[in-house]
């Protein structure tokens, strides 16, 4: 049977079967909606259980992939279902004789592990997501252009874990593998972001000057402007340009930029910046905050934390309820900002012991991002590092500042 499957599973057949199944599923979606579409997929997987011919096995595998893709986009599966479907997909590939590596159809392994990576990412499971992305690249022979995109994905996942050195390595590798402009733009952008978050502000600024004239994708040009402004803010501690960009009427009054501005202002050592902020409800008026509900909930809690009409014990309890949302934020720079803004509120409230605990989360993350070189990669916390330094005598930890980058 395996021999037959190897002969029958040609790329043309795979592509044609994918098209046929997509037509089926699109019709179900139009007639019955997302939930029934998933139910139909699961029914087909079950119905094909007893069919051992090559074409039926291929259809079953593609339905399995369809279920995983559906879940990644819309949800609907439990963790056990996802695990079982993933295992079943791998088992079908083995029985069908699909070989990882240089087989013409080994891309099926890559596709399956890529979607599993995306599912883990959606759950905030950054290490399993990186693991699956690495498997996706390892188990399938890919052209250089495809490998560049894989290295982009691997680098993004490594950055989300705080492994900037690894991320930078994969982004640089990707840049050597492609000439496709959109992929190049994203690789350049993430290389700049990783370098900034590693604490090497001077190098990040140099990369901005190098790559800015080369970027053509509008979304990447938009994000590069924000990165450039964040670099400037870390160097000067002046948040004026961040305010200009992300307040209503600014070019970056979209997505999470106003929320990031909110945390930059509250993480800043000077209260004058946070006093310039509008109420959060007005700052995010008209924006789709539900897409970033965890980040928005943290901002709401911090705003309420500064409301002295609310008893402090309640404010502290409210922060405790949302603090677990920090570690599932996809963007690690947002995690940095939240930890620091919370530490600064606690410090200002004279709750030094709790402030120290929260600040150490920020400093630990800074150390991880900088490979042990900095305790303050955003350069907003020198005063707090001075107060809460490990020596306990108010001296600045030598790792918190690198004079070579001045």
């Amino acid at each position: 049977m395996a021999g037959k499957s190897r002969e029958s599973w040609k790329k043309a057949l795979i592509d044609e079967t994918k098209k046929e199944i997509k037509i089926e599923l699109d019709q179900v979606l139009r007639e019955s909606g997302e939930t029934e579409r998933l139910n139909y997929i699961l029914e087909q997987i079950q119905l094909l259980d007893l069919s051992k011919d090559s074409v039926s096995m291929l259809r079953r595998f593609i339905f399995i992939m369809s279920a995983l893709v559906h879940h990644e986009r819309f949800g609907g599966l439990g963790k056990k279902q996802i695990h079982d479907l993933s295992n079943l997909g791998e088992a079908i590939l083995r029985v069908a004789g699909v070989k990882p590596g240089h087989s013409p159809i080994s891309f099926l392994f890559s596709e399956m592990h890529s979607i599993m990576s995306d599912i883990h990412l959606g759950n905030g499971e950054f290490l399993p997501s990186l693991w699956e992305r690495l498997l996706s690249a390892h188990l399938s022979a890919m052209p250089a252009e495809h490998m560049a995109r894989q290295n982009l994905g691997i680098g993004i996942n490594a950055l989300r874990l705080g492994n900037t050195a690894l991320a930078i390595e994969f982004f640089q590798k990707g840049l050597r593998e492609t000439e496709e402009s959109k992929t190049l733009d994203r690789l350049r952008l993430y290389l700049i972001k990783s370098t900034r978050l590693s604490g090497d502000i001077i190098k990040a600024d140099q990369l901005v000057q190098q790559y800015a004239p080369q970027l053509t994708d509008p979304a990447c040009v938009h994000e590069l402007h924000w990165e450039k402004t964040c670099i400037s803010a870390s160097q000067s501690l002046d948040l004026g340009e961040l305010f200009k960009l992300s307040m209503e009427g600014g070019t970056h009054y979209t997505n999470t930029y106003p929320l990031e501005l909110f945390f930059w202002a509250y993480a800043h050592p000077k209260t004058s910046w946070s006093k310039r902020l509008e109420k959060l409800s007005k700052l995010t008026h008209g924006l789709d905050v539900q897409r970033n509900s965890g980040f928005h909930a943290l901002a709401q809690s911090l705003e309420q934390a500064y409301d002295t009409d609310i008893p402090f014990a309640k404010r502290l309890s409210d922060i405790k309820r949302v603090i677990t949302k920090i570690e599932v934020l996809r963007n690690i720079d947002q995690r940095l900002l939240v930890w620091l803004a919370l530490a600064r509120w606690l410090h200002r409230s004279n709750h030094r012991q709790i402030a120290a605990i929260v600040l150490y989360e920020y400093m630990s993350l800074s150390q991880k991002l900088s490979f042990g070189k900095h305790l303050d990669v955003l350069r907003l916390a020198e005063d707090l590092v001075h107060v809460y330094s490990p020596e306990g005598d108010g001296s600045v930890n030598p790792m918190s500042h690198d004079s070579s980058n001045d």
Side-chain angles (χ1 to χ4, degrees):
M1 180 178 66
K4 274 187 169 183
S5 299
R6 281 196 296 270
E7 291 172 5
S8 300
W9 279 34
K10 305 297 184 185
K11 188 174 186 304
L13 175 66
I14 294 169
D15 290 342
E16 183 60 32
T17 307
K18 283 182 176 181
K19 287 179 185 176
E20 291 172 0
I21 289 175
K22 184 178 185 304
I23 291 170
E24 286 181 48
L25 297 182
D26 285 348
Q27 183 176 348
V28 175
L29 181 62
R30 284 193 302 271
E31 295 176 355
S32 306
E34 292 170 8
T35 302
E36 284 307 311
R37 181 179 184 271
L38 179 58
N39 289 337
Y40 178 83
I41 293 170
L42 297 176
E43 286 171 6
Q44 294 303 306
I45 293 170
Q46 186 63 34
L47 288 171
L48 290 166
D49 181 29
L50 299 177
S51 302
K52 302 302 181 185
D53 63 282
S54 177
V55 173
S56 295
M57 289 172 63
L58 175 58
R59 284 180 59 82
R60 195 176 191 213
F61 176 79
I62 293 172
F63 275 118
I64 288 169
M65 288 292 296
S66 299
L68 295 173
V69 170
H70 180 103
H71 175 79
E72 192 274 329
R73 293 177 181 171
F74 309 111
L77 296 175
K79 283 198 170 185
K80 186 176 186 306
Q81 284 178 295
I82 295 167
H83 177 76
D84 290 346
L85 286 170
S86 173
N87 286 344
L88 181 56
E90 286 219 35
I92 289 173
L93 291 179
R94 285 196 302 270
V95 171
V98 180
K99 302 283 188 187
H102 291 278
S103 161
I105 58 173
S106 63
F107 66 87
L108 294 172
F109 282 102
S110 175
E111 290 179 352
M112 189 174 70
H113 287 290
S114 290
I115 188 59
M116 287 300 297
S117 175
D118 291 341
I119 289 171
H120 284 302
L121 179 59
N123 292 334
E125 299 162 350
F126 302 126
L127 184 55
S129 179
L130 175 58
W131 190 271
E132 291 286 352
R133 187 66 64 181
L134 287 166
L135 283 175
S136 175
H138 179 71
L139 294 176
S140 176
M142 302 178 188
E145 175 55 42
H146 195 169
M147 274 307 303
R149 291 194 294 269
Q150 282 286 17
N151 284 323
L152 171 64
I154 293 168
I156 291 172
N157 282 343
L159 176 60
R160 287 180 174 128
L161 280 169
N163 299 327
T164 52
L166 185 62
I168 288 169
E169 179 184 336
F170 278 103
F171 295 141
Q172 290 175 334
K173 187 179 178 189
L175 285 170
R176 296 191 294 268
E177 292 170 332
T178 184
E179 295 182 1
E180 198 275 317
S181 62
K182 190 167 184 177
T183 304
L184 279 172
D185 282 358
R186 294 192 70 204
L187 285 162
R188 290 163 179 156
L189 179 63
Y190 274 102
L191 180 58
I192 291 167
K193 181 185 283 286
S194 298
T195 304
R196 173 174 72 88
L197 294 175
S198 76
D200 195 344
I201 301 294
I202 298 300
K203 177 64 175 175
D205 195 34
Q206 290 171 348
L207 289 172
V208 168
Q209 305 309 317
Q210 177 183 348
Y211 290 140
Q214 301 175 36
L215 264 60
T216 58
D217 179 68
C220 290
V221 172
H222 189 70
E223 179 66 14
L224 178 68
H225 193 178
W226 183 259
E227 279 298 313
K228 181 180 179 181
T229 308
C230 289
I231 291 167
S232 177
S234 286
Q235 289 174 316
S236 67
L237 297 188
D238 186 334
L239 307 187
E241 186 64 17
L242 286 176
F243 269 80
K244 181 180 175 183
L245 291 180
S246 50
M247 296 286 280
E248 189 169 7
T251 56
H252 288 63
Y253 188 65
T254 58
N255 300 326
T256 64
Y257 297 116
L259 289 173
E260 289 184 35
L261 169 68
F262 176 90
F263 282 106
W264 270 93
Y266 276 106
H268 199 282
K270 292 185 178 179
T271 58
S272 56
W273 292 109
S274 56
K275 287 176 180 176
R276 284 180 57 178
L277 286 171
E278 299 175 305
K279 292 290 288 183
L280 188 62
S281 57
K282 184 161 191 211
L283 187 66
T284 60
H285 177 70
L287 301 180
D288 183 9
V289 295
Q290 287 308 308
R291 288 184 59 192
N292 305 282
S293 57
F295 197 31
H296 184 252
L298 286 160
Q300 285 181 310
S301 294
L302 183 61
E303 183 176 64
Q304 290 168 7
Y306 276 93
D307 185 350
T308 54
D309 290 335
I310 302 172
F312 183 81
K314 183 179 186 316
R315 288 182 271 156
L316 201 58
S317 177
D318 290 343
I319 289 288
K320 176 193 167 187
R321 282 203 299 272
V322 297
I323 207 167
T324 54
K325 295 181 183 291
I326 300 175
E327 291 308 306
V328 296
L329 292 174
R330 288 194 183 191
N331 295 333
I332 199 163
D333 43 337
Q334 294 175 1
R335 277 179 262 161
L336 279 168
L337 287 166
V338 175
W339 282 124
L340 180 53
L342 286 177
R344 197 166 285 289
W345 166 64
L346 288 161
H347 175 74
R348 288 168 177 162
S349 303
N350 290 317
H351 287 269
R352 299 294 182 90
Q353 289 181 325
I354 309 175
I357 291 169
V358 174
L359 180 66
Y360 269 59
E361 291 298 318
Y362 169 77
M363 293 194 298
S364 296
L365 190 52
S366 288
Q367 280 189 295
K368 184 176 183 179
L369 285 162
S370 65
F371 219 64
K373 293 179 182 177
H374 304 281
L375 290 174
D376 176 23
V377 292
L378 295 179
R379 299 195 172 198
L380 294 174
E382 186 173 337
D383 59 321
L384 295 182
V385 172
H386 181 83
V387 171
Y388 296 98
S389 62
E391 290 84 353
D393 59 0
S395 62
V396 179
N397 186 289
M399 295 173 68
S400 69
H401 188 73
D402 184 353
S403 60
S404 68
N405 284 337
D406 286 341

